[in-house]
Amino acid sequence: MLRPLSVQLYSLRDYAKDDFVTVLKKVAEIGYKGVEPAGFWDLRPSELKKIVEDLGMKIYSSHSPWARGNNLGECMELADALGLKTIVCGYGPDDFKDLDTIKKTAELTNKMQEFFARNGFTLFQHNHYWEFERIDGKLKYEIFAELCPNVKFEIDSFWSTNKGTEDPVEMLKLFADRTILLHMKDGVCKQKAGGGEMVNGLLDMKIDLMPLGTGTLPIKQIVEAAPAAVETIVVELDYCDTEMYKALEMSYRFMTENGLAAGNK
């Protein structure tokens, strides 16, 4: 059975700031079955949920807000309004800099996970490329996972290559038993990147990204390796030289026409 194809709305942030409802309509017109919000752009979460559902789509998860340790009540209220039982966390490169910082990050994550679990929510972590760097030959993410045994994962397969140094299929298999969501972006996996600097409040990884199917990521093999618990495959293009609506339409066609995910068209 094909998993539904969703889009991470961060991809369309430049359009959403002017007219978020039109963004949602265009995503539905392309054929996506779901969305993953990253900001609400002056819509109430309950209103966003209604609009998405009226357009024949579903909110499968949300990146708003990210759990930080001091906003847990807000996270639960928003998840409730969106009809979700999952909450996301994620970290910058400094939080995975060395073993000591990984331990501190894991300690915070465990506290959040335990709190959310008591209240009926599942905490998942979204990776970038620095979690897939190594310390003395061991993946930083393996260390983190061992320290946080009850946290689930949203694996971003492109970032899991750590700029082409790791095999994304093997990385997914390594964390398969705890992966509940899958992010898919494409590009030339092996390329240089900056350190994940914050630019105008956004994380700039300085990596060129491309519509799905036009880069070197082994998408078919990744989808085949995806565990049963993965509810949806989420397309995310942080940046793209191709106009973003066109890039998302190309990505949709690649995934659906090759039998890798299900759309509404």
Side-chain angles (χ1 to χ4, degrees):
M1 183 176 177
L2 296 180
R3 294 174 180 83
L5 191 64
S6 299
V7 62
Q8 165 51 255
L9 294 174
Y10 179 76
S11 310
L12 292 161
R13 61 195 179 279
D14 290 339
Y15 297 98
K17 64 185 179 184
D18 296 322
D19 189 344
F20 191 26
V21 174
T22 294
V23 165
L24 297 172
K25 290 178 179 177
K26 289 191 174 183
V27 168
E29 287 172 5
I30 292 172
Y32 282 94
K33 291 184 78 70
V35 297
E36 186 178 59
F40 301 113
W41 308 103
D42 296 329
L43 288 180
R44 295 192 310 275
S46 57
E47 184 182 7
L48 170 61
K49 181 175 183 289
K50 183 179 187 306
I51 292 171
V52 167
E53 291 176 350
D54 286 348
L55 289 169
M57 300 186 295
K58 177 180 177 180
I59 297 175
Y60 284 95
S61 60
S62 177
H63 279 199
S64 290
W66 292 69
R68 302 186 303 272
N70 61 354
N71 66 337
L72 306 190
E74 178 190 6
C75 289
M76 292 187 297
E77 290 291 339
L78 286 171
D80 271 338
L82 295 172
L84 299 173
K85 285 298 181 181
T86 57
I87 294 171
V88 68
C89 67
Y91 303 102
D94 288 345
D95 299 303
F96 276 77
K97 182 172 58 177
D98 53 33
L99 185 57
D100 286 340
T101 56
I102 293 173
K103 288 179 178 178
K104 290 179 182 177
T105 300
E107 182 179 3
L108 170 63
T109 306
N110 282 328
K111 289 179 180 178
M112 294 193 298
Q113 184 277 321
E114 291 166 4
F115 178 84
F116 287 137
R118 288 197 301 271
N119 287 277
F121 293 91
T122 296
L123 180 66
F124 67 92
Q125 200 267 355
H126 173 70
N127 68 278
H128 298 90
Y129 67 77
W130 45 82
E131 292 96 333
F132 287 84
E133 296 170 341
R134 292 180 180 264
I135 296 176
D136 295 329
K138 188 168 185 177
L139 286 170
K140 292 180 178 180
Y141 219 30
E142 281 188 283
I143 298 170
F144 176 80
E146 290 170 1
L147 293 170
C148 299
N150 296 315
V151 173
K152 302 298 183 182
F153 297 119
E154 177 179 58
I155 296 293
D156 187 303
S157 289
F158 186 86
W159 292 138
S160 77
T161 71
N162 184 25
K163 297 167 285 184
T165 62
E166 302 292 345
D167 181 337
V169 177
E170 294 305 313
M171 294 301 98
L172 178 56
K173 290 178 179 178
L174 193 58
F175 300 99
D177 62 338
R178 292 164 60 182
T179 299
I180 60 172
L181 292 161
L182 196 60
H183 261 216
M184 204 72 72
K185 50 175 61 75
D186 207 353
V188 178
C189 293
K190 194 172 184 61
Q191 58 179 292
K192 294 181 179 180
E197 297 91 346
M198 295 301 293
V199 178
N200 296 324
L202 299 174
L203 196 59
D204 184 2
M205 254 84 71
K206 301 184 184 302
I207 278 189
D208 295 326
L209 298 173
M210 304 160 65
L212 269 59
T214 63
T216 63
L217 191 73
I219 295 174
K220 181 176 185 294
Q221 291 85 352
I222 292 169
V223 171
E224 289 173 349
V230 171
E231 188 177 8
T232 183
I233 296 173
V234 185
V235 178
E236 181 188 37
L237 296 174
D238 307 52
Y239 313 95
C240 193
D241 287 339
T242 304
E243 190 275 326
M244 190 57 74
Y245 281 121
K246 182 178 179 180
L248 291 176
E249 186 173 359
M250 291 170 64
S251 299
Y252 175 87
R253 288 203 308 267
F254 172 79
M255 294 296 288
T256 56
E257 291 177 3
N258 287 282
L260 302 175
N264 278 333
K265 291 187 175 181

